Amino acid sequence: MDKEITIYDIARKLSISPTTVSRGLNNHPAVNKNTKQKIFDAANQMGYRSNTFASKLRKQRTNTIGVIVPRLDSSFQSSVMAGMEKVANEAGYNLIISQSLETADKEVANARTMFENRVDGLLVSLAYDTENIDHFEPFFSKGIPLLFYDRVPENKKCTSIVINNIQAAHNATSHLIEQGCKRIVHISGNLKINVYKDRLKGYKYALMDANIPIKEDYIIETSLSEQAGIDAAKQILQMNPRPDGIFVANDNCAVTCIKTLKQEGVRIPDDIAIVGFNNDSITRVIDPNLTSIDYPGYEMGEIAVRSLINYLDGVSDVSITNTITLDSELVVRESSLRKVNQPTVLSKG
Amino acid sequence: MDKEITIYDIARKLSISPTTVSRGLNNHPAVNKNTKQKIFDAANQMGYRSNTFASKLRKQRTNTIGVIVPRLDSSFQSSVMAGMEKVANEAGYNLIISQSLETADKEVANARTMFENRVDGLLVSLAYDTENIDHFEPFFSKGIPLLFYDRVPENKKCTSIVINNIQAAHNATSHLIEQGCKRIVHISGNLKINVYKDRLKGYKYALMDANIPIKEDYIIETSLSEQAGIDAAKQILQMNPRPDGIFVANDNCAVTCIKTLKQEGVRIPDDIAIVGFNNDSITRVIDPNLTSIDYPGYEMGEIAVRSLINYLDGVSDVSITNTITLDSELVVRESSLRKVNQPTVLSKG
DNA sequence: TTGTAAGCGTTATCAC
DNA sequence: GTGATAACGCTTACAA
């Protein structure tokens, strides 16, 4: 392992000062063009690489953004990460990524690591069982910008980026109502998490707006796993009278639900119409194709990093204090589109 | 923004030397228990956090592992990342992740950043259009361990972790042959990439072993995109005589291929049997469920990081010089399983 | 346009 | 057990 080349070595070789070398390498305007060229040439030839730690130590800025994510192996989260990485990289930032694996314990440890690593800013999507955000206190008190996305805390003081889950769920449910559904079940996720809580709200509001009474039996709280979709489907098949519409809080779960219903001879959408959430690629694989809410993950990642960097650069000091809400969109496919629209229902509206 | 607390502040407060504070915080055995306790208490109370940059600058070890990945938003790659993060985190390493977006240019830039950030080791899965690995030269010459996974260079000198693509493709193709297929098409990816090149080899070897002549027309090189599956299906429908088996180098593409064939009235697996590759979750969504090769992404990530850390810790200096090959497995589902096995074929064997 | 010198916060070395 | 001192390699006043 040969010795690392430093700016001192370059300086010695060119008989100039380390200061000038440093300035040259950083493209400081006040350095003579020739000198600069010589410096770059020498650096390349000698195999120099900047020591970012010395630089970060001196500059007190790390150009690093931390990300704490529930799971990396999720189709939604990996789109978000892709968007984040792209913007960060373009702006010269590194991303340190860690996953909480949906547990608060690991999230606490991750937050600590991020803090020790002096990230310039932190992006967080909360774990399944995170009940409070005390572990981010050091960031608040040190003034390190902290931005939550998707799974955000209830606390309104936090900057966050979300989609309007209430509105999206309202649209999804209203769509089912327009298709003539009267008995609509909602398969929800953990209701302690903001996104699922809000989707439930949107579902309820839509029913209220259509003067359809809310039945607590029609609200099934699940883990949204593949198995949960199967279980929920079985539960629905037992109901009497049988529901004629289902709004599921995620696509994966909706898919196994559909498969189970089909196996039992239920015709979709004619007997039961179904809407999912996320617009994952599986919506176009399942037969019938699944109506879903398009949820802009990649864009959310881009915006999260861009907001953070703008704040760090002092470009914007406003946006960081607010909640950014992204648009989402109902994408109608066969799973909810009945061939024959009920004119009676439509004329009622 | 209050001033950062350093070990000097703690030392001053406790009237001891910074050296002792440093030792205490690092749990050095030669420090008095009482002193240690006092140091920890003071550190907590004063809100001290270690400056990792100063430490890294001094120690010349970063506890950081770099990862360069073609795309973060891929189901396979995100499982790999998840496995990597888990092991790295447990061992006290940070992960710096960047994506090449399948271009060699970005990969070169990423490699440079990783080098400047003095990662202790680097994990790489090559971009689509990477033709050589000169940009990793600095790692070789500095003795920084470099480990390729999945998309590895042809150069045999590189340490790499792969699955046995030849064997896996051989199994897939042989399975189709056992199911009675005589005219088997292979939908391949970019043949410059090792994984696709090897899968093609496995396909050819299996045909050879069964004394089935290889037809170049039956080898379709594509981008493996969803559209590619549609296009390939159309091309196959034009062939005369019509093929009766398809081995596709990835599941996404296989799925759109199946959908297109079904639309044209082809019965699967009776008219055409199909096998994919990756065992993505969509294999269980498409109807009929897709036979595929189970490709252990999560495990690959775990092993990659574990090997690297073992090497860094001096535990193993052997494994890093070799190629690690993981097992993969053919998972048979309806898309290739013909209800009635052809006894004639079986008795021939 | 270039140089001098101080300091960022740790830790390794040597001494006691 | 503890302490003094000198690096680690870079940037930035300040000076020239």
Side-chain angles (χ1 to χ4, degrees):
Chain A
M1 185 101 56
D2 28 87
K3 202 186 150 299
E4 291 281 346
I5 304 296
T6 72
I7 54 171
Y8 286 92
D9 300 317
I10 300 178
R12 205 171 309 120
K13 171 156 185 179
L14 300 178
S15 304
I16 57 178
S17 78
T19 308
T20 304
V21 176
S22 169
R23 285 202 268 250
L25 291 170
N26 288 303
N27 243 313
H28 189 108
V31 175
N32 182 296
K33 260 201 159 181
N34 284 329
T35 322
K36 226 180 248 181
Q37 193 55 53
K38 269 190 239 161
I39 293 170
F40 279 122
D41 291 346
N44 280 331
Q45 183 233 313
M46 299 169 78
Y48 167 81
R49 61 169 167 170
S50 165
N51 186 319
T52 55
F53 302 114
S55 166
K56 287 170 179 174
L57 174 59
R58 182 59 233 248
K59 288 202 292 196
Q60 307 279 35
R61 180 118 189 248
T62 66
N63 269 257
T64 298
I65 292 174
V67 186
I68 301 179
V69 73
R71 309 202 74 91
L72 278 165
D73 50 354
S74 120
S75 126
F76 168 68
Q77 288 290 353
S78 58
S79 319
V80 176
M81 304 301 319
M84 288 181 170
E85 198 277 343
K86 174 153 168 289
V87 175
N89 198 303
E90 283 170 6
Y93 281 79
N94 286 126
L95 236 44
I96 298 191
I97 297 173
S98 69
Q99 47 185 351
S100 62
L101 298 174
E102 300 286 10
T103 70
D105 280 0
K106 250 213 120 197
E107 191 177 282
V108 171
N110 289 340
R112 194 175 168 74
T113 309
M114 293 298 176
F115 189 67
E116 305 253 291
N117 273 283
R118 284 175 156 67
V119 293
D120 287 338
L122 186 63
L123 302 166
V124 181
S125 191
L126 294 173
Y128 206 75
D129 64 357
T130 297
E131 307 248 308
N132 67 65
I133 55 167
D134 295 349
H135 44 301
F136 296 114
E137 189 45 49
F139 292 89
F140 291 121
S141 60
K142 272 262 160 23
I144 300 164
L146 177 53
L147 205 151
F148 294 92
Y149 67 92
D150 193 48
R151 303 256 207 94
V152 307
E154 300 291 89
N155 191 328
K156 292 302 168 202
K157 270 183 263 173
C158 300
T159 308
S160 44
I161 301 187
V162 291
I163 62 156
N164 191 333
N165 284 288
I166 299 181
Q167 183 63 51
H170 190 292
N171 291 348
T173 311
S174 300
H175 166 68
L176 287 171
I177 296 170
E178 282 164 17
Q179 292 296 312
C181 300
K182 306 278 189 203
R183 297 177 298 283
I184 302 173
V185 167
H186 176 42
I187 302 180
S188 166
N190 182 342
L191 287 170
K192 282 187 294 192
I193 298 178
N194 64 304
V195 294
Y196 303 120
K197 194 188 283 182
D198 283 354
R199 289 174 200 176
L200 172 58
K201 267 191 200 161
Y203 159 81
K204 287 183 171 175
Y205 292 168
L207 294 182
M208 281 171 52
D209 290 349
N211 292 315
I212 298 179
I214 293 161
K215 272 193 68 174
E216 288 300 326
D217 289 357
Y218 279 1
I219 298 166
I220 309 180
E221 184 174 354
T222 75
S223 66
L224 291 180
S225 64
E226 300 191 2
Q227 184 59 45
I230 297 170
D231 298 341
K234 288 182 182 157
Q235 196 174 330
I236 288 166
L237 288 167
Q238 302 296 326
M239 294 179 178
N240 193 341
R242 187 174 279 179
D244 54 7
I246 310 177
F247 165 46
V248 192
N250 110 2
D251 287 335
N252 275 320
C253 187
V255 160
T256 54
C257 183
I258 289 179
K259 290 185 73 170
T260 309
L261 292 174
K262 276 170 64 181
Q263 275 166 20
E264 299 298 324
V266 175
R267 290 169 309 156
I268 295 165
D270 301 295
D271 298 335
I272 303 183
I274 301 190
V275 178
F277 209 109
N278 273 19
N279 202 24
D280 280 347
S281 61
I282 48 165
T283 56
R284 279 144 281 154
V285 174
I286 186 74
D287 177 43
N289 281 193
L290 179 62
T291 295
S292 190
I293 300 284
D294 187 43
Y295 196 148
Y298 192 90
E299 199 188 341
M300 186 177 274
E302 288 183 311
I303 292 175
V305 172
R306 190 126 45 211
S307 308
L308 199 59
I309 292 177
N310 282 347
Y311 174 78
L312 290 169
D313 290 349
V315 173
S316 76
D317 29 26
V318 205
S319 80
I320 199 81
T321 58
N322 286 334
T323 296
I324 300 172
T325 306
L326 302 183
D327 282 340
S328 60
E329 198 187 351
L330 180 72
V331 180
V332 177
R333 299 199 180 86
E334 296 99 63
S335 74
S336 68
L337 199 60
R338 292 186 171 166
K339 281 88 195 169
V340 185
N341 272 323
Q342 279 79 356
T344 41
V345 172
L346 287 177
S347 60
K348 268 190 200 165
Chain B
M1 184 102 54
D2 27 87
K3 201 186 153 298
E4 292 281 346
I5 304 296
T6 72
I7 53 172
Y8 284 94
D9 300 318
I10 299 179
R12 206 171 308 121
K13 172 155 184 180
L14 300 179
S15 303
I16 56 178
S17 78
T19 308
T20 305
V21 176
S22 170
R23 284 201 270 250
L25 291 170
N26 288 302
N27 244 311
H28 191 108
V31 176
N32 183 294
K33 260 202 159 181
N34 283 330
T35 322
K36 225 180 249 180
Q37 192 54 54
K38 268 191 240 161
I39 293 170
F40 278 122
D41 291 346
N44 280 330
Q45 184 234 312
M46 299 170 78
Y48 167 82
R49 61 168 166 170
S50 163
N51 187 321
T52 56
F53 301 113
S55 169
K56 287 170 178 174
L57 173 58
R58 187 60 238 245
K59 289 203 291 198
Q60 307 279 37
R61 178 117 188 244
T62 66
N63 269 256
T64 299
I65 292 174
V67 186
I68 302 178
V69 73
R71 311 201 73 92
L72 279 165
D73 49 355
S74 121
S75 124
F76 168 67
Q77 288 289 354
S78 58
S79 319
V80 177
M81 305 300 321
M84 288 181 170
E85 199 279 340
K86 174 155 168 289
V87 176
N89 200 301
E90 282 169 5
Y93 282 79
N94 286 125
L95 235 45
I96 299 191
I97 298 173
S98 69
Q99 47 184 351
S100 62
L101 299 173
E102 300 286 11
T103 70
D105 280 359
K106 250 214 119 197
E107 191 176 281
V108 171
N110 289 340
R112 197 178 165 73
T113 308
M114 293 298 175
F115 189 67
E116 305 251 292
N117 274 284
R118 284 175 156 69
V119 292
D120 287 337
L122 185 62
L123 302 166
V124 181
S125 192
L126 295 172
Y128 206 76
D129 65 358
T130 296
E131 308 248 309
N132 68 65
I133 54 166
D134 295 350
H135 44 303
F136 297 114
E137 189 44 49
F139 292 88
F140 292 120
S141 61
K142 272 263 161 21
I144 299 164
L146 176 54
L147 205 151
F148 293 92
Y149 68 92
D150 192 50
R151 302 256 207 96
V152 306
E154 299 291 271
N155 191 329
K156 292 301 168 203
K157 271 183 264 174
C158 300
T159 307
S160 44
I161 301 187
V162 291
I163 63 157
N164 191 333
N165 283 288
I166 299 182
Q167 183 62 50
H170 191 291
N171 291 348
T173 311
S174 300
H175 166 69
L176 287 171
I177 295 170
E178 282 163 17
Q179 293 296 312
C181 299
K182 306 278 189 203
R183 296 177 300 281
I184 303 173
V185 167
H186 177 41
I187 302 180
S188 165
N190 183 344
L191 287 171
K192 281 187 294 191
I193 298 178
N194 65 303
V195 295
Y196 304 119
K197 194 187 284 183
D198 283 354
R199 289 175 200 175
L200 172 58
K201 267 190 200 163
Y203 158 83
K204 287 184 172 175
Y205 292 167
L207 293 182
M208 280 171 51
D209 289 349
N211 292 314
I212 299 178
I214 292 162
K215 271 193 68 175
E216 288 300 326
D217 289 358
Y218 280 0
I219 299 165
I220 308 181
E221 183 173 354
T222 75
S223 65
L224 290 181
S225 65
E226 300 191 3
Q227 184 59 46
I230 298 171
D231 296 343
K234 288 183 182 156
Q235 196 174 331
I236 288 166
L237 288 167
Q238 301 297 325
M239 294 179 178
N240 194 341
R242 186 175 281 180
D244 54 6
I246 309 176
F247 165 44
V248 192
N250 110 2
D251 286 336
N252 276 320
C253 185
V255 160
T256 54
C257 183
I258 289 180
K259 291 186 70 171
T260 309
L261 291 175
K262 276 170 64 182
Q263 274 165 21
E264 299 297 323
V266 175
R267 290 169 309 155
I268 295 166
D270 300 295
D271 296 336
I272 303 184
I274 301 189
V275 178
F277 210 109
N278 273 17
N279 203 23
D280 280 347
S281 61
I282 47 167
T283 55
R284 280 144 281 154
V285 175
I286 186 74
D287 177 43
N289 281 193
L290 179 62
T291 296
S292 191
I293 300 284
D294 187 44
Y295 196 148
Y298 192 90
E299 198 189 342
M300 186 177 273
E302 288 183 309
I303 292 175
V305 171
R306 191 126 44 211
S307 309
L308 200 58
I309 292 178
N310 281 348
Y311 175 78
L312 290 169
D313 290 349
V315 173
S316 76
D317 29 26
V318 204
S319 80
I320 199 80
T321 58
N322 287 334
T323 295
I324 299 172
T325 305
L326 302 183
D327 283 340
S328 60
E329 197 187 351
L330 180 72
V331 180
V332 177
R333 300 200 181 84
E334 296 98 61
S335 73
S336 68
L337 200 59
R338 291 186 170 165
K339 282 90 194 167
V340 184
N341 272 324
Q342 279 81 356
T344 42
V345 172
L346 287 177
S347 60
K348 266 189 200 164

